């Protein structure tokens, strides 16, 4: 009975749903997994098979599925207010969330602007930067810089500052070109170089770009500490310090995309804290709602806000989304922040991360892995000489071992929720090793 039900859900989905980031024909050989429910770190299908969600369902689920504390907060909010437009109105959850996020930046960043997804947050930051310069009498500042291999989303503006050919090339004619600069990816270290040396070389490339286009660059956008979608390229915090100083010197806005790397993922609540700097714009999404509801936020400095403050409507930031500042999503985010504070999550994660790193030692030392790396609650390594089709093969083999893992090319990464116990850590490490060895050959 359950097997028939499972097959029926798959067939119905293939007929009616266009799945994201997917060549749909591949599901002829790699069947969909219809999820019935989730509990903690696990997802379950209709036959009772379970899958350890080792990538937090695309990096969003921080505290487990069906988290009772977030559930309770949402139930309470449902009985008060599900949604109200944020133009001309306001409400308690959006005010409280804005205040608390600003407090987390020591009130350096505030005036939170809301949307529903990460790409939309990037669009907002790009538009704000351009418009703020124009309002300030510097209308020539219209160009943007991004890092080689960068990924910031798949809407038109976000794609323009993305440098992943697979996502970008098909839409090239639609995009306004951005200039790319060297990535500070520590894997590029030459003999005798450190990660900080690579950071200095990359920052020097930024300065060259600033000099060559001086007076025309509005902003540089960076995913701080870890460039996730390009294969989890990690860099030293020194890079952010150097680029912040360059932005100040050449009057260029710094946009930090913390959509994937914020909310404690790199070991501090905001990744940029490890460099001791703040950007002009900070984009948040994914984990901020605990993986419950679509929500994204752009935090900006006071001077950005003041550049728009006027009696003149055309100087205002008129961007809008219907569900901007949705009360339910904001309440989920407030519950998420409560868990961070009440459970001392960042401190607990340091101990948890050490246990996971120790458990992954056989992979770190494996003769077919390179560049084993870790930052906070992110782990990655590169497969050496893997046969073509490695990532799809790995994903399929992993599901048979009760794991949800989805490599990017030949890079295997782990971004588990912040709740794994010792038994689950053991399962994750042992089975990832088994799946890796099984997937190397064609």
């Amino acid at each position: 009975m359950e097997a028939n039900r499972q097959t029926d859900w798959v067939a119905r989905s293939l007929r009616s749903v266009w799945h994201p980031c997917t060549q749909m024909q591949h599901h002829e050989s790699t069947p969909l997994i219809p999820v019935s429910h989730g509990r903690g770190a696990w997802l379950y299908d209709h036959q009772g098979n379970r899958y350890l969600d080792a990538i937090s369902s695309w990096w969003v689920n921080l505290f487990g599925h069906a988290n009772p504390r977030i559930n309770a907060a949402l139930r309470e909010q449902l009985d008060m207010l599900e949604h109200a437009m944020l133009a001309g109105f306001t409400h308690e959850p959006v005010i409280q969330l804005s205040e608390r996020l600003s407090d987390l930046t020591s009130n350096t960043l505030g005036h939170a602007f809301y949307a529903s997804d990460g790409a939309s947050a990037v669009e907002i930051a790009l538009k704000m930067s351009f418009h703020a310069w124009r309002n300030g009498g510097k209308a020539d500042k219209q160009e943007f810089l991004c890092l080689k291999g960068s990924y910031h989303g798949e809407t038109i503006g976000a794609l323009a500052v993305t440098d992943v050919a697979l996502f970008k090339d098909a839409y090239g004619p639609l995009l306004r070109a951005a200039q790319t600069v060297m990535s500070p990816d520590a894997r590029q270290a030459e003999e005798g170089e450190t990660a900080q040396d690579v950071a200095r070389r990359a920052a020097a490339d930024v300065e060259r770009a600033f000099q060559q286009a001086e007076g025309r660059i509005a902003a540089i956008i960076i995913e701080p500490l870890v460039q996730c979608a390009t294969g989890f390229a990690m860099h030293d915090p020194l890079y952010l310090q150097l680029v912040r100083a360059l932005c100040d010197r050449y009057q260029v806005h710094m946009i930090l995309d913390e959509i994937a790397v914020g909310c404690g993922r790199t070991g501090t609540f905001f990744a940029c804290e490890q460099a001791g700097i703040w950007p002009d714009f900070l984009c948040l999404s994914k984990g901020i709602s605990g993986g419950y509801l679509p929500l994204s936020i752009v935090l900006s400095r006071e001077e950005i806000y003041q550049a728009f403050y006027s009696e003149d409507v055309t100087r205002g930031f008129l961007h809008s989304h219907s569900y901007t500042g949705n009360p339910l999503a904001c309440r989920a985010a407030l519950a998420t922040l409560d868990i961070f504070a009440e459970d001392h999550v960042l401190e607990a994660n340091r101990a948890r991360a050490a246990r996971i790193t120790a458990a992954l030692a056989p992979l770190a030392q494996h003769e077919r892995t390179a560049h084993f790396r870790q930052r906070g609650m992110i782990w990655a390594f590169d497969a050496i000489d893997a046969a073509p089709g490695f990532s799809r093969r790995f994903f399929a083999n992993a599901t048979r071992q009760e794991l949800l893992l989805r490599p990017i090319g030949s890079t295997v990464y782990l971004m588990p929720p912040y709740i794994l116990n010792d038994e689950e850590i053991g399962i994750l490490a042992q089975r990832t090793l088994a799946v890796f060895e099984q997937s190397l050959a064609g």
Side-chain angles (χ1 to χ4, degrees):
M1 183 71 165
E2 288 300 331
N4 291 338
R5 188 180 181 193
Q6 178 125 324
T7 301
D8 182 53
W9 282 121
V10 170
R12 288 169 62 182
S13 188
L14 290 175
R15 283 196 302 268
S16 61
V17 180
W18 199 335
H19 291 264
C21 202
T22 298
Q23 170 49 263
M24 292 298 293
Q25 191 183 66
H26 289 171
H27 284 308
E28 293 179 6
S29 57
T30 306
L32 289 166
I33 298 172
V35 176
S36 166
H37 63 282
R39 290 289 183 274
W42 299 86
L43 293 168
Y44 296 82
D45 66 19
H46 290 272
Q47 293 180 295
N49 300 310
R50 65 177 190 168
Y51 308 90
L52 181 62
D53 191 353
I55 57 172
S56 300
S57 286
W58 257 349
W59 322 341
V60 302
N61 186 276
L62 303 188
F63 299 118
H65 299 282
N67 182 282
R69 289 148 77 180
I70 302 176
N71 287 357
L74 286 174
R75 289 191 189 99
E76 182 181 6
Q77 184 62 43
L78 276 169
D79 288 333
M80 294 187 292
L81 178 66
E82 82 300 337
H83 185 64
M85 63 185 292
L86 207 60
F89 291 82
T90 193
H91 51 77
E92 182 180 319
V94 78
I95 296 167
Q96 290 182 337
L97 180 57
S98 302
E99 291 173 341
R100 289 180 65 175
L101 288 173
S102 183
D103 287 346
L104 288 172
T105 73
S106 300
N107 300 307
T108 304
L109 303 173
H111 304 295
F113 198 99
Y114 288 82
S116 300
D117 58 83
S120 295
V122 169
E123 297 278 346
I124 288 164
L126 296 173
K127 287 176 66 177
M128 275 186 177
S129 175
F130 161 79
H131 199 164
W133 288 123
R134 190 181 73 178
N135 282 354
K138 297 182 178 180
D140 289 340
K141 284 182 168 288
Q142 300 181 12
E143 299 178 18
F144 296 97
L145 264 61
C146 61
L147 308 189
K148 291 188 185 300
S150 58
Y151 175 90
H152 298 289
E154 294 170 45
T155 51
I156 295 299
L159 263 184
V161 291
T162 285
D163 186 46
V164 179
L166 178 65
F167 300 117
K168 183 175 182 177
D169 283 1
Y171 308 102
L174 302 178
L175 306 178
R176 179 171 181 161
Q179 183 177 346
T180 58
V181 291
M182 175 185 169
S183 167
D185 181 358
R187 291 175 296 180
Q188 299 174 110
E190 298 173 358
E191 187 174 354
E193 273 195 323
T194 66
Q196 288 200 341
D197 293 327
V198 178
R200 290 188 184 94
R201 284 201 284 122
D205 197 40
V206 172
E207 183 164 24
R208 282 190 290 271
F210 282 2
Q211 290 171 341
Q212 290 168 5
E214 191 165 2
R216 302 197 307 272
I217 299 174
I220 181 171
I221 183 167
I222 300 167
E223 197 173 14
L225 301 187
V226 187
Q227 292 178 256
C228 294
T230 193
F232 289 82
M234 298 187 184
H235 61 258
D236 192 275
L238 175 65
Y239 178 73
L240 302 176
Q241 297 172 4
L242 297 173
V243 175
R244 174 72 268 181
L246 291 171
C247 287
D248 292 339
R249 187 184 315 159
Y250 290 92
Q251 290 192 291
V252 173
H253 289 148
M254 176 187 253
I255 301 171
L256 291 188
D257 173 354
E258 296 221 7
I259 290 159
V261 299
C263 302
R265 184 55 73 176
T266 64
T268 46
F269 190 84
F270 299 111
C272 62
E273 292 179 78
Q274 295 178 48
I277 61 101
W278 294 109
D280 300 290
F281 303 91
L282 192 148
C283 302
L284 283 176
S285 191
K286 291 193 182 290
I288 190 61
S289 73
Y292 267 69
L293 289 164
L295 180 67
S296 64
I297 306 154
V298 179
L299 301 174
S300 62
R301 289 180 180 262
E302 177 68 19
E303 52 265 38
I304 301 294
Y305 179 78
Q306 289 299 328
F308 293 89
Y309 201 80
S310 170
E311 290 185 358
D312 184 350
V313 172
T314 65
R315 290 176 63 89
F317 190 66
L318 304 183
H319 187 103
S320 62
H321 297 270
S322 300
Y323 282 93
T324 291
N326 174 259
L328 289 169
C330 290
R331 184 60 67 189
L334 287 166
T336 297
L337 294 182
D338 287 342
I339 294 173
F340 269 102
E342 294 165 8
D343 292 5
H344 306 288
V345 168
L346 297 176
E347 180 181 346
N349 273 357
R350 284 193 284 273
R352 182 176 287 109
R355 295 199 299 275
I356 294 174
T357 299
L360 292 172
L363 273 164
Q365 299 158 10
H366 200 284
E367 61 181 5
R368 296 288 296 277
T369 67
H371 303 295
F372 182 91
R373 51 204 182 273
Q374 178 254 338
R375 172 76 69 174
M377 288 289 288
I378 303 174
W379 292 262
F381 57 89
D382 304 324
I384 297 173
D385 297 330
F390 171 78
S391 60
R392 288 180 57 204
R393 194 162 57 249
F394 192 106
F395 171 78
N397 290 335
T399 60
R400 288 189 279 271
Q401 291 280 352
E402 297 186 324
L403 296 180
L404 170 52
L405 284 170
R406 188 182 168 102
I408 295 175
S410 60
T411 297
V412 178
Y413 74 91
L414 293 79
M415 288 178 71
Y418 305 161
I419 59 167
L420 295 192
N421 59 35
D422 287 346
E423 179 183 0
E424 290 165 339
I425 289 170
I427 290 171
L428 175 61
Q430 293 160 19
R431 297 186 187 180
T432 300
L433 174 61
V435 170
F436 176 68
E437 291 182 331
Q438 183 183 5
S439 304
L440 285 169

